[in-house]
Amino acid sequence: MKKNFAPWRHRLHEIIFEADTKLGKLFDVTLLILIIISIVLVMLQSVADINQIYGSWFEIAEWIITVYFTIEYILRLSCVYRPSKYAFSFFGIIDLLSILPSYLELIFGMTSYFAAVRAMRLIRVFRIFKLAKFLDESNSLMAALRASQAKITVFLTFILMMVVVIGSVMYFVEGGQDSGFTSIPRSIYWAIVTLTTVGYGDIAPTTSVGQLLAAIVMIMGYGVLAVPTGIVSAELVNTDSNSNHTPSTQVCKECLSEGHDADALFCKYCGENL
């Protein structure tokens, strides 16, 4: 046990950061429910008719949730060895963003500017993966994404070059105010929309050559969509076949690392006692 790190802080860390106890699971489920309620409140506040009737109740509920998140954020900082490490971690920043908008609105009164930021709370839903039922599956998915990162990067680079070339060609074929292809960047925008099979229809070729090129790009789009799916699927199958253990929900108090073996006594990244 670290010097000056009281037993109650160890117990608090177990409840807040882990989910292999009843209190830990209850904490995660309560957090998930409050996150969903908060997002629903943000949505309802954007509907003028509903907000006009229930706006005051929405504000009260929002402040109750904000106070809860504020207390939770302070407790998270207090039960780790290095609070600054958590504060600047991914979820630490999300935690801060989830409470800042309400206080900024109170000070500056610019509600519309900060409502969208509050939706970042939804990212915290991923903490529910710490429940034992989903932990192994979420780790397998993350491992597959990491393993396919290089391949997907190469693929996206190729796609980027492709849309630049297609957009440039389409500009010289269709260039003009009437067709909508008024510049190469706008033509590249059309190439991206067409290649991804979105097809907004705000820009469309009018010449025979342009329409032929558009048809080729549309057909290519189906193949483009299949590539990243195949890459991740192959890595996911490979990860599942190589996986022979189920990690625990324990989080290291020193380095905040997760994904330890179920029978691990020490952190495999920094050696701290779990």
Side-chain angles (χ1 to χ4, degrees), residues 126 129-131 134-143:
F126 289 107
F129 285 149
K130 290 185 180 179
L131 298 177
F134 302 106
L135 185 62
D136 194 34
E137 288 77 4
S138 65
N139 286 339
S140 296
L141 179 59
M142 292 303 298

Side-chain angles (χ1 to χ4, degrees), residues 103-250:
Y103 295 112
L104 292 175
E105 288 173 17
L106 182 64
I107 297 172
F108 299 106
M110 296 183 294
T111 304
S112 60
Y113 293 99
F114 298 113
V117 180
R118 282 188 286 180
M120 293 292 288
R121 289 175 181 166
L122 190 60
I123 299 179
R124 298 170 69 192
V125 169
F126 289 107
R127 281 201 176 123
I128 202 65
F129 285 149
K130 290 185 180 179
L131 298 177
K133 182 177 179 181
F134 302 106
L135 185 62
D136 194 34
E137 288 77 4
S138 65
N139 286 339
S140 296
L141 179 59
M142 292 303 298
L145 291 174
R146 284 194 296 267
S148 57
Q149 181 178 354
K151 295 178 183 177
I152 292 179
T153 301
V154 173
F155 170 74
L156 291 178
T157 302
F158 175 75
I159 293 299
L160 181 60
M161 293 187 296
M162 184 183 297
V163 295
V164 170
V165 172
I166 293 174
S168 300
V169 172
M170 185 60 76
Y171 171 72
F172 289 110
V173 171
E174 293 282 339
Q177 296 293 331
D178 296 335
S179 63
F181 294 87
T182 55
S183 66
I184 291 181
R186 188 163 175 80
S187 300
I188 292 175
Y189 157 77
W190 170 86
I192 294 173
V193 170
T194 306
L195 190 64
T196 55
T197 70
V198 175
Y200 289 130
D202 52 342
I203 306 175
T206 56
T207 66
S208 299
V209 177
Q211 292 172 350
L212 175 62
L213 179 59
I216 295 173
V217 174
M218 292 175 194
I219 295 173
M220 289 172 58
Y222 289 103
V224 165
L225 292 177
V227 173
T229 304
I231 292 174
V232 176
S233 298
E235 293 294 345
L236 187 60
V237 171
N238 186 47
T239 300
D240 289 338
S241 63
N242 293 333
S243 177
N244 54 9
H245 72 281
T246 300
S248 71
T249 62
Q250 292 178 316

Side-chain angles (χ1 to χ4, degrees), residues 250 252 260-261 263-274:
Q250 292 178 316
C252 177
H260 301 93
D261 294 345
D263 57 350
L265 300 177
F266 301 92
C267 175
K268 61 183 179 180
Y269 300 101
C270 71
E272 176 63 34
N273 192 336
L274 295 175

